[in-house]
């Protein structure tokens, strides 16, 4: 005979422990000082000789970021392109895994190539 529906069930209740933690902040010497940062920025701006050129570069950088975001957004709105790019990425990832990661000899070749590239970049 099985348990009746609605019959009370007996279960063991494990004791619960509560841990209280309190975060304390200590005054550190490396605390952010906004006045010091503003003074440093003003000193750096005053040290710049060709301010219009810096303003032009900054404006060009902001415009470049805006243009890049606009182009990426336009590409995303073309119905087939995002899925095509996902498919290309999946294919490249599969090829890379097969070519460089699956076998020990090819892993060693990849490590050698990466080390060679690092030595070219660092000049060591």
């Amino acid at each position: 005979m099985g348990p009746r529906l609605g019959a009370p069930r007996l279960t063991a209740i494990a004791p619960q422990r509560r841990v209280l933690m309190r975060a304390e902040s200590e005054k550190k010497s490396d605390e952010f000082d906004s006045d010091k940062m503003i003074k440093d920025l003003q000193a750096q701006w005053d040290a710049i000789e060709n301010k219009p050129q810096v303003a032009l570069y900054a404006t060009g950088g902001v415009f470049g970021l805006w243009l890049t975001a606009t182009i990426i957004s336009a590409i995303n709105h073309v119905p087939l392109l995002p899925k095509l790019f996902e498919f290309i990425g999946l294919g490249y990832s599969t090829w890379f895994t097969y070519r460089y990661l699956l076998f020990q000899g090819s892993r060693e070749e990849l490590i050698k190539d990466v080390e060679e590239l690092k030595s070219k970049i660092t000049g060591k």
Side-chain angles (χ1 to χ4, degrees):
M1 205 175 182
R4 292 184 300 160
L5 292 176
R9 294 175 49 176
L10 299 176
T11 58
I13 298 175
Q16 295 180 357
R17 296 190 313 177
R18 293 186 180 183
V19 177
L20 296 175
M21 298 179 74
R22 187 174 77 202
E24 294 182 10
S25 92
E26 298 177 10
K27 283 274 189 180
K28 295 184 178 179
S29 62
D30 57 33
E31 196 171 282
F32 180 74
D33 186 10
S34 62
D35 292 333
K36 182 178 182 283
M37 186 179 116
I38 291 172
K39 288 178 184 176
D40 288 344
L41 287 174
Q42 285 176 344
Q44 289 177 355
W45 180 251
D46 291 338
I48 295 174
E49 294 178 14
N50 198 353
K51 292 179 179 138
Q53 185 178 10
V54 172
L56 185 64
Y57 281 147
T59 304
V62 170
F63 177 74
L65 286 173
W66 171 80
L67 184 64
T68 303
T70 302
I71 290 170
I72 290 173
S73 177
I75 288 173
N76 258 349
H77 284 78
V78 176
L80 293 179
L81 285 182
K83 294 297 179 186
L84 177 67
F85 288 148
E86 285 180 26
F87 183 69
I88 291 170
L90 179 64
Y92 181 78
S93 298
T94 304
W95 172 83
F96 185 85
T97 301
Y98 176 76
R99 171 68 177 92
Y100 289 111
L101 302 178
L102 207 54
F103 305 108
Q104 182 176 359
S106 59
R107 283 193 301 265
E108 291 169 356
E109 178 185 345
L110 176 64
I111 291 170
K112 185 186 80 154
D113 289 344
V114 169
E115 292 297 326
E116 184 179 309
L117 181 63
K118 279 181 8 184
S119 68
K120 284 182 182 177
I121 292 172
T122 59
K124 292 181 182 179

